[in-house]
Coordinates of all heavy atoms in Angstrom, one line a residue:
M12 N 0.8 -1.2 0.0 CA 0.0 0.0 0.0 C 0.9 1.2 0.0 O 1.8 1.3 0.8 CB -0.9 0.0 1.2 CG -1.8 1.2 1.4 SD -3.0 1.0 2.7 CE -4.4 0.5 1.8
Q13 N 0.6 2.2 -0.9 CA 1.3 3.4 -1.0 C 0.7 4.5 -0.2 O -0.6 4.6 -0.2 CB 1.4 3.8 -2.4 CG 2.4 3.0 -3.3 CD 3.8 3.3 -2.9 OE1 4.5 2.5 -2.3 NE2 4.3 4.4 -3.3
F14 N 1.5 5.4 0.5 CA 0.9 6.5 1.2 C 1.6 7.8 0.7 O 2.8 7.7 0.4 CB 1.2 6.4 2.7 CG 0.5 5.2 3.3 CD1 1.2 4.0 3.6 CD2 -0.9 5.2 3.5 CE1 0.6 2.9 4.2 CE2 -1.5 4.1 4.1 CZ -0.8 2.9 4.4
D15 N 0.9 8.9 0.6 CA 1.4 10.1 0.2 C 2.2 10.8 1.4 O 3.1 11.6 1.1 CB 0.3 11.1 -0.2 CG -0.3 10.6 -1.5 OD1 0.3 10.0 -2.3 OD2 -1.5 11.0 -1.7
H16 N 1.9 10.4 2.6 CA 2.6 11.0 3.7 C 3.7 10.1 4.2 O 3.6 8.9 4.1 CB 1.6 11.3 4.8 CG 0.9 10.1 5.4 ND1 0.0 9.4 4.6 CD2 1.0 9.5 6.6 CE1 -0.4 8.4 5.4 NE2 0.2 8.4 6.5
T17 N 4.7 10.7 4.8 CA 5.8 9.9 5.3 C 5.9 10.0 6.8 O 6.6 9.1 7.4 CB 7.2 10.4 4.7 OG1 7.4 11.8 5.0 CG2 7.2 10.2 3.2
Q18 N 5.3 11.0 7.4 CA 5.4 11.1 8.9 C 4.1 10.5 9.5 O 3.0 10.8 9.0 CB 5.4 12.6 9.2 CG 5.5 12.9 10.7 CD 5.6 14.4 11.0 OE1 6.1 15.1 10.2 NE2 5.1 14.8 12.1
F19 N 4.3 9.6 10.5 CA 3.1 9.0 11.1 C 2.2 9.9 11.8 O 1.0 9.9 11.7 CB 3.6 7.9 12.1 CG 2.5 7.1 12.8 CD1 1.8 6.2 12.0 CD2 2.2 7.3 14.1 CE1 0.8 5.4 12.6 CE2 1.1 6.6 14.7 CZ 0.4 5.7 13.9
T20 N 2.8 10.8 12.7 CA 1.9 11.8 13.4 C 1.6 13.0 12.6 O 2.5 13.6 12.0 CB 2.6 12.2 14.7 OG1 3.9 12.8 14.5 CG2 2.8 11.0 15.7
L21 N 0.3 13.3 12.5 CA -0.2 14.4 11.7 C -1.3 15.1 12.5 O -1.9 14.6 13.3 CB -0.9 13.8 10.4 CG -0.1 12.9 9.5 CD1 -1.0 12.3 8.5 CD2 1.0 13.8 8.8
G22 N -1.4 16.4 12.2 CA -2.5 17.2 12.7 C -3.8 16.8 11.9 O -3.7 16.2 10.8
F23 N -4.9 17.2 12.4 CA -6.2 16.8 11.7 C -6.2 17.4 10.3 O -6.6 16.7 9.4 CB -7.4 17.3 12.6 CG -8.7 16.9 11.9 CD1 -9.2 15.6 11.9 CD2 -9.5 17.9 11.3 CE1 -10.4 15.3 11.3 CE2 -10.7 17.6 10.6 CZ -11.1 16.3 10.7
R24 N -5.9 18.7 10.2 CA -5.9 19.3 8.9 C -4.9 18.6 7.9 O -5.3 18.5 6.7 CB -5.6 20.8 9.0 CG -6.8 21.5 9.6 CD -6.6 23.0 9.5 NE -7.7 23.7 10.2 CZ -7.6 24.6 11.1 NH1 -6.4 24.9 11.6 NH2 -8.6 25.1 11.7
Q25 N -3.8 18.3 8.4 CA -2.8 17.6 7.5 C -3.4 16.3 7.0 O -3.3 15.9 5.9 CB -1.5 17.3 8.3 CG -0.6 18.5 8.6 CD 0.5 18.0 9.4 OE1 0.4 17.5 10.5 NE2 1.8 18.2 8.9
A26 N -4.0 15.5 8.0 CA -4.6 14.2 7.6 C -5.6 14.4 6.5 O -5.7 13.6 5.6 CB -5.1 13.6 8.8
I27 N -6.5 15.4 6.7 CA -7.6 15.6 5.7 C -7.0 16.0 4.3 O -7.4 15.5 3.3 CB -8.5 16.7 6.2 CG1 -9.3 16.3 7.4 CG2 -9.5 17.2 5.1 CD1 -10.2 15.1 7.2
E28 N -5.9 16.7 4.3 CA -5.2 17.1 3.1 C -4.7 15.8 2.4 O -4.6 15.8 1.1 CB -4.0 18.0 3.3 CG -4.5 19.4 3.7 CD -3.4 20.4 4.1 OE1 -2.2 20.0 4.0 OE2 -3.6 21.5 4.6
Y29 N -4.3 14.8 3.1 CA -3.9 13.5 2.6 C -5.0 12.6 2.3 O -4.8 11.4 1.9 CB -2.8 12.8 3.5 CG -1.5 13.5 3.5 CD1 -1.0 14.1 4.6 CD2 -0.7 13.5 2.3 CE1 0.3 14.7 4.6 CE2 0.5 14.1 2.3 CZ 1.0 14.7 3.5 OH 2.3 15.3 3.5
G30 N -6.2 13.0 2.6 CA -7.4 12.1 2.4 C -7.7 11.1 3.5 O -8.3 10.1 3.3
I31 N -7.1 11.4 4.7 CA -7.3 10.5 5.8 C -8.3 11.1 6.7 O -8.1 12.1 7.3 CB -6.0 10.3 6.5 CG1 -4.9 9.7 5.6 CG2 -6.2 9.3 7.7 CD1 -3.5 9.8 6.2
D32 N -9.4 10.4 6.9 CA -10.5 10.9 7.8 C -10.8 9.7 8.8 O -11.4 8.7 8.5 CB -11.7 11.2 7.1 CG -12.8 11.9 7.9 OD1 -12.7 11.8 9.2 OD2 -13.8 12.4 7.4
Y33 N -10.3 9.9 10.0 CA -10.4 8.8 11.0 C -11.8 8.5 11.5 O -12.0 7.5 12.1 CB -9.5 9.1 12.2 CG -9.9 10.3 13.1 CD1 -10.9 10.1 14.0 CD2 -9.3 11.5 13.0 CE1 -11.3 11.2 14.8 CE2 -9.7 12.6 13.8 CZ -10.7 12.4 14.7 OH -11.1 13.5 15.4
R34 N -12.7 9.4 11.2 CA -14.1 9.2 11.7 C -14.7 8.0 11.1 O -15.7 7.4 11.6 CB -14.9 10.5 11.4 CG -14.4 11.7 12.2 CD -15.1 12.9 11.8 NE -14.7 13.3 10.5 CZ -15.0 14.5 10.0 NH1 -15.7 15.4 10.6 NH2 -14.6 14.8 8.7
D35 N -14.2 7.5 9.9 CA -14.8 6.3 9.3 C -14.1 5.0 9.8 O -14.6 3.9 9.4 CB -14.6 6.4 7.8 CG -15.4 7.5 7.2 OD1 -16.5 7.9 7.8 OD2 -15.0 8.0 6.1
Y36 N -13.1 5.1 10.6 CA -12.4 3.9 11.1 C -13.1 3.3 12.3 O -13.7 4.1 13.1 CB -11.0 4.3 11.5 CG -10.1 4.6 10.4 CD1 -10.3 5.6 9.4 CD2 -8.9 3.8 10.2 CE1 -9.5 5.8 8.4 CE2 -8.1 4.0 9.1 CZ -8.3 5.0 8.2 OH -7.5 5.2 7.2
E37 N -13.1 2.0 12.4 CA -13.8 1.4 13.6 C -13.0 1.7 14.9 O -11.8 1.5 15.0 CB -13.8 -0.1 13.4 CG -14.4 -0.8 14.6 CD -14.4 -2.3 14.5 OE1 -14.1 -2.9 13.4 OE2 -14.7 -3.0 15.5
K38 N -13.7 2.3 15.8 CA -13.0 2.7 17.1 C -13.0 1.4 18.0 O -14.0 0.7 18.2 CB -13.9 3.7 17.8 CG -13.2 4.2 19.1 CD -14.0 5.3 19.8 CE -13.3 5.7 21.0 NZ -14.1 6.7 21.8
V39 N -11.7 1.1 18.4 CA -11.5 -0.1 19.2 C -10.8 0.3 20.5 O -10.0 1.2 20.5 CB -10.7 -1.2 18.5 CG1 -11.5 -1.7 17.3 CG2 -9.4 -0.7 18.0
D40 N -11.1 -0.5 21.6 CA -10.4 -0.3 22.9 C -9.1 -1.0 22.9 O -8.2 -0.8 23.7 CB -11.3 -0.7 24.0 CG -12.5 0.2 24.2 OD1 -12.4 1.4 23.9 OD2 -13.5 -0.3 24.6
R41 N -9.0 -2.0 22.0 CA -7.8 -2.9 21.9 C -7.7 -3.3 20.5 O -8.7 -3.7 19.9 CB -8.0 -4.0 22.9 CG -6.8 -5.0 22.9 CD -7.0 -6.0 24.0 NE -6.0 -7.1 23.8 CZ -4.7 -7.0 24.2 NH1 -4.3 -5.9 24.8 NH2 -3.9 -8.0 24.1
L42 N -6.5 -3.4 19.9 CA -6.3 -3.9 18.6 C -6.5 -5.4 18.6 O -6.2 -6.1 19.6 CB -4.9 -3.5 18.1 CG -4.6 -2.0 17.9 CD1 -3.1 -1.7 17.7 CD2 -5.5 -1.4 16.8
P43 N -6.9 -5.9 17.4 CA -7.2 -7.4 17.4 C -5.9 -8.2 17.5 O -4.8 -7.7 17.0 CB -7.9 -7.6 16.0 CG -7.4 -6.4 15.2 CD -7.3 -5.3 16.2
E44 N -6.0 -9.4 18.0 CA -4.9 -10.3 18.2 C -4.6 -11.1 16.9 O -5.6 -11.4 16.3 CB -5.1 -11.2 19.4 CG -5.2 -10.5 20.7 CD -5.4 -11.4 21.9 OE1 -5.9 -12.5 21.7 OE2 -5.2 -11.0 23.0
D45 N -3.4 -11.4 16.7 CA -3.0 -12.3 15.6 C -3.4 -11.9 14.2 O -3.6 -12.7 13.3 CB -3.5 -13.7 15.9 CG -2.8 -14.4 17.1 OD1 -1.7 -14.0 17.4 OD2 -3.5 -15.1 17.8
V46 N -3.6 -10.5 14.1 CA -4.0 -10.0 12.8 C -2.9 -9.0 12.4 O -2.6 -8.0 13.1 CB -5.3 -9.2 12.9 CG1 -5.7 -8.6 11.5 CG2 -6.4 -10.2 13.3
P47 N -2.2 -9.2 11.3 CA -1.2 -8.2 10.8 C -1.9 -6.9 10.5 O -2.8 -6.8 9.8 CB -0.6 -8.8 9.6 CG -0.9 -10.3 9.6 CD -2.2 -10.4 10.4
L48 N -1.4 -5.8 11.2 CA -1.9 -4.5 11.0 C -0.9 -3.6 10.4 O 0.3 -3.6 10.9 CB -2.4 -3.9 12.3 CG -3.5 -4.7 13.0 CD1 -3.8 -4.2 14.4 CD2 -4.8 -4.7 12.2
M49 N -1.2 -2.7 9.5 CA -0.3 -1.8 8.9 C -0.7 -0.4 9.5 O -1.8 0.0 9.5 CB -0.4 -1.7 7.4 CG 0.6 -0.7 6.8 SD 0.5 -0.6 5.0 CE 1.1 -2.2 4.6
A50 N 0.4 0.3 10.0 CA 0.2 1.6 10.6 C 0.0 2.6 9.5 O 0.7 2.7 8.5 CB 1.4 2.0 11.4
I51 N -1.1 3.4 9.6 CA -1.4 4.4 8.6 C -1.0 5.8 9.1 O -0.3 6.5 8.4 CB -2.9 4.4 8.3 CG1 -3.3 3.1 7.6 CG2 -3.3 5.6 7.4 CD1 -4.7 2.9 7.4
A52 N -1.5 6.2 10.2 CA -1.2 7.6 10.7 C -1.6 7.7 12.2 O -2.5 6.9 12.7 CB -2.0 8.6 9.9
G53 N -1.1 8.6 12.9 CA -1.5 9.0 14.2 C -1.9 10.4 14.2 O -1.1 11.3 13.9
I54 N -3.2 10.7 14.4 CA -3.7 12.0 14.2 C -4.0 12.7 15.6 O -4.7 12.1 16.4 CB -5.0 12.0 13.4 CG1 -4.7 11.3 12.0 CG2 -5.6 13.4 13.2 CD1 -5.9 11.1 11.2
W55 N -3.3 13.8 15.8 CA -3.4 14.5 17.1 C -4.8 15.0 17.3 O -5.5 15.6 16.4 CB -2.5 15.7 17.1 CG -1.1 15.3 17.2 CD1 -0.1 15.4 16.2 CD2 -0.4 14.6 18.2 NE1 1.1 14.9 16.5 CE2 1.0 14.4 17.8 CE3 -0.7 14.1 19.5 CZ2 1.9 13.8 18.6 CZ3 0.2 13.5 20.3 CH2 1.5 13.3 19.8
G56 N -5.4 14.8 18.5 CA -6.6 15.4 19.0 C -6.2 16.7 19.5 O -6.3 17.8 18.9
D57 N -5.6 16.7 20.7 CA -4.9 17.8 21.3 C -3.6 17.3 21.7 O -3.2 16.2 21.3 CB -5.7 18.5 22.4 CG -6.0 17.5 23.6 OD1 -5.2 16.6 23.8 OD2 -7.1 17.7 24.2
Y58 N -2.8 18.0 22.5 CA -1.5 17.5 22.8 C -1.5 16.5 23.9 O -0.4 16.1 24.4 CB -0.6 18.7 23.1 CG -0.3 19.5 21.8 CD1 -0.9 20.7 21.6 CD2 0.6 19.0 20.9 CE1 -0.7 21.4 20.5 CE2 0.8 19.7 19.7 CZ 0.2 20.9 19.5 OH 0.4 21.6 18.4
S59 N -2.6 15.9 24.3 CA -2.6 14.9 25.3 C -3.2 13.6 24.7 O -3.3 12.6 25.5 CB -3.4 15.3 26.5 OG -4.8 15.5 26.2
D60 N -3.6 13.6 23.5 CA -4.1 12.3 22.9 C -3.9 12.3 21.4 O -3.6 13.3 20.7 CB -5.6 12.1 23.2 CG -6.5 13.2 22.6 OD1 -6.1 14.0 21.8 OD2 -7.7 13.2 22.9
I61 N -3.9 11.0 20.9 CA -3.6 10.8 19.5 C -4.5 9.6 19.1 O -4.8 8.7 19.9 CB -2.1 10.4 19.3 CG1 -1.7 10.3 17.8 CG2 -1.7 9.2 20.1 CD1 -0.2 10.3 17.6
R62 N -5.0 9.7 17.8 CA -5.8 8.6 17.3 C -4.9 7.8 16.3 O -4.6 8.4 15.3 CB -7.0 9.2 16.6 CG -8.0 9.8 17.6 CD -8.7 10.9 17.0 NE -9.6 11.5 18.0 CZ -9.3 12.5 18.8 NH1 -8.1 13.0 18.8 NH2 -10.1 13.0 19.6
C63 N -4.6 6.6 16.6 CA -3.7 5.8 15.8 C -4.6 4.9 14.9 O -5.5 4.2 15.3 CB -2.9 4.8 16.7 SG -1.8 5.8 17.8
L64 N -4.2 5.0 13.6 CA -5.0 4.4 12.5 C -4.2 3.2 11.9 O -3.1 3.3 11.6 CB -5.4 5.4 11.5 CG -6.0 6.7 11.9 CD1 -6.3 7.6 10.7 CD2 -7.3 6.4 12.7
F65 N -5.0 2.1 11.8 CA -4.4 0.9 11.2 C -5.3 0.3 10.2 O -6.5 0.5 10.3 CB -4.1 -0.2 12.3 CG -3.2 0.3 13.4 CD1 -3.7 1.0 14.5 CD2 -1.8 0.1 13.3 CE1 -2.8 1.4 15.5 CE2 -1.0 0.5 14.3 CZ -1.5 1.2 15.4
I66 N -4.8 -0.6 9.3 CA -5.6 -1.3 8.4 C -5.1 -2.8 8.3 O -3.9 -3.0 8.5 CB -5.6 -0.7 7.0 CG1 -6.6 -1.3 6.1 CG2 -4.2 -0.7 6.4 CD1 -6.8 -0.5 4.8
D67 N -6.0 -3.7 8.2 CA -5.6 -5.1 8.1 C -5.6 -5.5 6.6 O -5.9 -4.7 5.7 CB -6.4 -6.1 9.0 CG -7.8 -6.2 8.5 OD1 -8.2 -5.9 7.4 OD2 -8.7 -6.7 9.4
Q68 N -5.2 -6.8 6.3 CA -5.1 -7.3 5.0 C -6.4 -7.3 4.2 O -6.4 -7.3 3.0 CB -4.5 -8.7 5.0 CG -3.0 -8.7 5.5 CD -2.5 -10.0 5.7 OE1 -3.2 -11.0 6.0 NE2 -1.2 -10.2 5.5
T69 N -7.5 -7.3 4.9 CA -8.8 -7.4 4.3 C -9.4 -6.0 4.0 O -10.5 -5.9 3.4 CB -9.9 -8.2 5.1 OG1 -10.1 -7.4 6.3 CG2 -9.3 -9.6 5.5
G70 N -8.7 -5.0 4.5 CA -9.2 -3.6 4.3 C -10.0 -3.1 5.5 O -10.4 -1.9 5.5
Q71 N -10.1 -3.9 6.5 CA -10.8 -3.4 7.7 C -9.9 -2.4 8.4 O -8.7 -2.6 8.6 CB -11.0 -4.6 8.7 CG -11.6 -4.2 10.1 CD -13.0 -3.6 10.0 OE1 -13.8 -4.0 9.3 NE2 -13.2 -2.5 10.7
T72 N -10.5 -1.2 8.8 CA -9.7 -0.2 9.4 C -10.0 -0.1 10.9 O -11.1 -0.4 11.4 CB -9.9 1.2 8.8 OG1 -11.3 1.5 8.8 CG2 -9.4 1.2 7.3
Y73 N -9.0 0.3 11.7 CA -9.1 0.4 13.2 C -8.6 1.8 13.6 O -7.6 2.2 13.1 CB -8.3 -0.7 13.8 CG -8.7 -2.1 13.4 CD1 -8.0 -2.7 12.3 CD2 -9.7 -2.8 14.0 CE1 -8.4 -3.9 11.9 CE2 -10.1 -4.0 13.6 CZ -9.4 -4.6 12.5 OH -9.8 -5.9 12.1
R74 N -9.3 2.3 14.6 CA -8.8 3.6 15.3 C -8.7 3.3 16.8 O -9.6 2.9 17.5 CB -9.9 4.7 15.1 CG -9.6 5.9 15.8 CD -10.6 7.0 15.5 NE -11.9 6.6 15.3 CZ -13.0 7.1 16.0 NH1 -12.8 8.0 16.9 NH2 -14.2 6.7 15.7
R75 N -7.4 3.5 17.2 CA -7.1 3.2 18.6 C -6.7 4.5 19.3 O -5.8 5.2 18.9 CB -6.0 2.2 18.7 CG -5.5 1.9 20.1 CD -6.4 1.0 20.8 NE -5.8 0.3 22.0 CZ -5.7 0.9 23.2 NH1 -6.2 2.2 23.4 NH2 -5.1 0.3 24.1
H76 N -7.6 5.0 20.2 CA -7.4 6.3 20.8 C -6.4 6.1 22.0 O -6.6 5.2 22.8 CB -8.7 6.8 21.4 CG -8.6 8.2 22.0 ND1 -8.4 8.3 23.3 CD2 -8.6 9.4 21.4 CE1 -8.4 9.6 23.6 NE2 -8.5 10.3 22.5
I77 N -5.3 6.9 22.0 CA -4.3 6.8 23.1 C -4.1 8.1 23.8 O -3.9 9.2 23.1 CB -2.9 6.4 22.4 CG1 -3.0 5.1 21.6 CG2 -1.8 6.3 23.5 CD1 -3.4 3.9 22.4
A78 N -4.3 8.1 25.1 CA -4.0 9.3 25.9 C -2.6 9.1 26.4 O -2.1 8.0 26.7 CB -5.0 9.4 27.1
G79 N -1.9 10.2 26.5 CA -0.5 10.1 27.0 C -0.1 11.3 27.8 O -0.9 12.2 28.0
C80 N 1.1 11.3 28.2 CA 1.7 12.4 28.9 C 3.2 12.3 28.8 O 3.8 11.2 28.6 CB 1.3 12.4 30.4 SG 1.8 11.1 31.4
A81 N 3.9 13.4 29.0 CA 5.4 13.5 29.0 C 6.0 12.8 27.7 O 7.0 12.2 27.8 CB 5.9 12.8 30.2
G82 N 5.3 13.0 26.6 CA 5.8 12.5 25.3 C 5.6 11.0 25.1 O 6.1 10.5 24.1
R83 N 4.9 10.4 26.0 CA 4.7 8.9 25.9 C 3.2 8.7 25.6 O 2.4 9.1 26.3 CB 5.1 8.2 27.1 CG 6.5 8.4 27.6 CD 7.5 7.5 26.9 NE 7.1 6.1 27.1 CZ 7.5 5.1 26.3 NH1 8.3 5.4 25.3 NH2 7.2 3.9 26.5
Y84 N 3.0 8.0 24.5 CA 1.6 7.6 24.1 C 1.6 6.1 23.8 O 1.7 5.7 22.7 CB 1.2 8.4 22.8 CG 1.2 9.9 23.1 CD1 2.4 10.6 23.0 CD2 0.0 10.5 23.5 CE1 2.4 12.0 23.2 CE2 0.1 11.9 23.7 CZ 1.2 12.6 23.6 OH 1.2 13.9 23.9
V85 N 1.6 5.3 24.9 CA 1.9 3.9 24.8 C 0.6 3.1 24.3 O -0.4 3.2 25.0 CB 2.4 3.4 26.1 CG1 2.6 1.8 26.0 CG2 3.7 4.0 26.5
I86 N 0.8 2.4 23.3 CA -0.3 1.4 22.9 C 0.0 0.2 23.6 O 1.0 -0.5 23.3 CB -0.2 1.2 21.3 CG1 -0.4 2.5 20.6 CG2 -1.3 0.2 20.9 CD1 -0.1 2.4 19.1
R87 N -0.7 -0.1 24.7 CA -0.4 -1.1 25.7 C -0.2 -2.5 25.0 O 0.7 -3.2 25.3 CB -1.4 -1.2 26.8 CG -1.3 0.0 27.8 CD -2.2 -0.2 28.9 NE -3.6 -0.3 28.5 CZ -4.5 0.7 28.5 NH1 -4.1 1.9 28.9 NH2 -5.7 0.6 28.1
E88 N -1.1 -2.9 24.2 CA -1.1 -4.2 23.6 C 0.1 -4.4 22.6 O 0.5 -5.5 22.3 CB -2.4 -4.6 22.9 CG -2.8 -3.7 21.8 CD -3.6 -2.5 22.2 OE1 -3.5 -2.1 23.3 OE2 -4.4 -2.1 21.3
L89 N 0.7 -3.3 22.2 CA 1.9 -3.4 21.4 C 3.2 -3.1 22.1 O 4.3 -3.3 21.7 CB 1.8 -2.4 20.2 CG 0.7 -2.8 19.1 CD1 0.6 -1.6 18.1 CD2 1.0 -4.1 18.4
A90 N 3.0 -2.5 23.3 CA 4.1 -2.0 24.2 C 5.0 -1.0 23.4 O 6.2 -1.1 23.4 CB 4.9 -3.2 24.7
L91 N 4.4 -0.2 22.6 CA 5.1 0.8 21.8 C 4.5 2.2 22.0 O 3.3 2.4 22.2 CB 4.9 0.5 20.3 CG 5.6 -0.8 19.8 CD1 5.2 -1.0 18.3 CD2 7.1 -0.6 19.9
N92 N 5.4 3.2 21.9 CA 5.0 4.6 21.9 C 4.5 4.9 20.5 O 5.3 4.7 19.5 CB 6.2 5.5 22.3 CG 5.9 6.9 22.5 OD1 4.8 7.4 22.1 ND2 6.8 7.7 23.0
A93 N 3.3 5.4 20.4 CA 2.7 5.7 19.1 C 3.6 6.7 18.3 O 3.6 6.7 17.1 CB 1.3 6.3 19.3
K94 N 4.3 7.6 19.0 CA 5.1 8.6 18.3 C 6.3 7.9 17.6 O 7.0 8.5 16.8 CB 5.6 9.6 19.3 CG 4.5 10.6 19.8 CD 5.0 11.5 20.8 CE 6.1 12.4 20.3 NZ 6.6 13.5 21.3
E95 N 6.6 6.6 18.0 CA 7.7 5.9 17.3 C 7.3 5.1 16.2 O 8.2 4.5 15.5 CB 8.5 5.1 18.4 CG 9.1 6.0 19.5 CD 9.6 5.1 20.7 OE1 9.5 3.9 20.6 OE2 10.1 5.8 21.6
L96 N 6.0 5.0 15.9 CA 5.6 4.2 14.8 C 5.9 4.8 13.4 O 6.0 6.0 13.3 CB 4.0 4.0 14.8 CG 3.5 3.1 16.0 CD1 2.0 3.1 15.9 CD2 4.1 1.7 15.8
Q97 N 6.1 4.0 12.4 CA 6.4 4.5 11.1 C 5.2 4.2 10.1 O 4.6 3.1 10.3 CB 7.6 3.7 10.6 CG 8.9 3.9 11.4 CD 9.4 5.3 11.4 OE1 9.4 6.0 10.4 NE2 9.7 5.8 12.6
V98 N 5.0 5.0 9.2 CA 4.0 4.8 8.2 C 4.3 3.5 7.4 O 5.4 3.3 7.0 CB 3.9 6.0 7.2 CG1 2.9 5.7 6.1 CG2 3.5 7.3 7.9
G99 N 3.3 2.6 7.3 CA 3.5 1.4 6.6 C 4.1 0.2 7.5 O 4.2 -0.9 7.0
Q100 N 4.5 0.5 8.7 CA 5.0 -0.5 9.6 C 3.9 -1.5 9.9 O 2.8 -1.2 10.1 CB 5.5 0.2 10.9 CG 6.1 -0.8 11.9 CD 6.6 0.0 13.1 OE1 6.5 1.2 13.2 NE2 7.1 -0.8 14.1
V101 N 4.3 -2.8 9.8 CA 3.4 -3.9 10.1 C 3.6 -4.5 11.4 O 4.7 -4.8 11.8 CB 3.5 -5.0 9.0 CG1 2.5 -6.2 9.3 CG2 3.2 -4.4 7.6
L102 N 2.5 -4.6 12.2 CA 2.6 -5.0 13.6 C 1.6 -6.1 13.8 O 0.5 -6.1 13.2 CB 2.3 -3.8 14.5 CG 3.2 -2.6 14.3 CD1 2.4 -1.4 14.7 CD2 4.4 -2.8 15.1
V103 N 1.8 -7.0 14.8 CA 0.9 -8.0 15.2 C 0.8 -8.0 16.7 O 1.8 -8.1 17.4 CB 1.3 -9.4 14.7 CG1 0.3 -10.5 15.1 CG2 1.4 -9.4 13.2
V104 N -0.4 -8.0 17.2 CA -0.7 -8.2 18.7 C -0.8 -9.7 18.9 O -1.7 -10.3 18.3 CB -2.0 -7.5 19.1 CG1 -2.2 -7.7 20.6 CG2 -1.9 -6.0 18.8
L105 N 0.1 -10.2 19.7 CA 0.1 -11.6 20.0 C -0.8 -11.9 21.2 O -1.0 -11.0 22.0 CB 1.5 -12.1 20.2 CG 2.5 -12.0 19.0 CD1 3.9 -12.4 19.4 CD2 2.0 -12.7 17.8
K106 N -1.3 -13.1 21.3 CA -2.2 -13.4 22.4 C -1.6 -13.2 23.8 O -2.3 -12.8 24.7 CB -2.7 -14.8 22.3 CG -3.6 -15.0 21.2 CD -4.2 -16.4 21.1 CE -5.0 -16.5 19.9 NZ -6.3 -17.1 19.9
D107 N -0.3 -13.3 23.9 CA 0.3 -13.1 25.3 C 0.8 -11.7 25.4 O 1.6 -11.4 26.3 CB 1.4 -14.1 25.5 CG 2.6 -14.0 24.5 OD1 2.5 -13.1 23.7 OD2 3.5 -14.8 24.6
C108 N 0.2 -10.7 24.6 CA 0.5 -9.3 24.7 C 1.9 -8.9 24.2 O 2.2 -7.7 24.4 CB 0.2 -8.8 26.1 SG -1.5 -8.9 26.5
R109 N 2.7 -9.8 23.7 CA 4.0 -9.3 23.1 C 3.7 -8.9 21.6 O 2.7 -9.4 21.0 CB 5.0 -10.5 23.1 CG 5.4 -10.8 24.5 CD 6.4 -12.0 24.4 NE 5.8 -13.1 23.8 CZ 6.3 -13.9 22.9 NH1 7.5 -13.7 22.4 NH2 5.7 -15.0 22.4
S110 N 4.5 -8.1 21.1 CA 4.3 -7.7 19.7 C 5.6 -8.0 18.9 O 6.6 -8.2 19.4 CB 4.0 -6.2 19.6 OG 5.1 -5.5 20.1
I111 N 5.4 -8.1 17.6 CA 6.5 -8.4 16.7 C 6.5 -7.3 15.7 O 5.6 -6.6 15.5 CB 6.5 -9.8 16.0 CG1 5.2 -9.9 15.2 CG2 6.6 -10.9 17.0 CD1 5.2 -11.1 14.3

């Protein structure tokens, strides 16, 4: 999948300019297990939260809302700071909560 943007974290207006509208993504409290997910973007709400967008191989999209502080926006089931994700990075949530 090709993306026009190279930076994962974007402001809402930037995301709209790239054609990314998170409102159509399924809001989840936890990313699905054992499903390869590609990171699309992290869209800032305000400076204390970010909406992380992912897509699976079937085209299903997911929106994971992350609240953070002190520069850390940890996606618990991946044990990763959302600010460190890369556009196009593929991740899998494993059943025992480790990620690859």
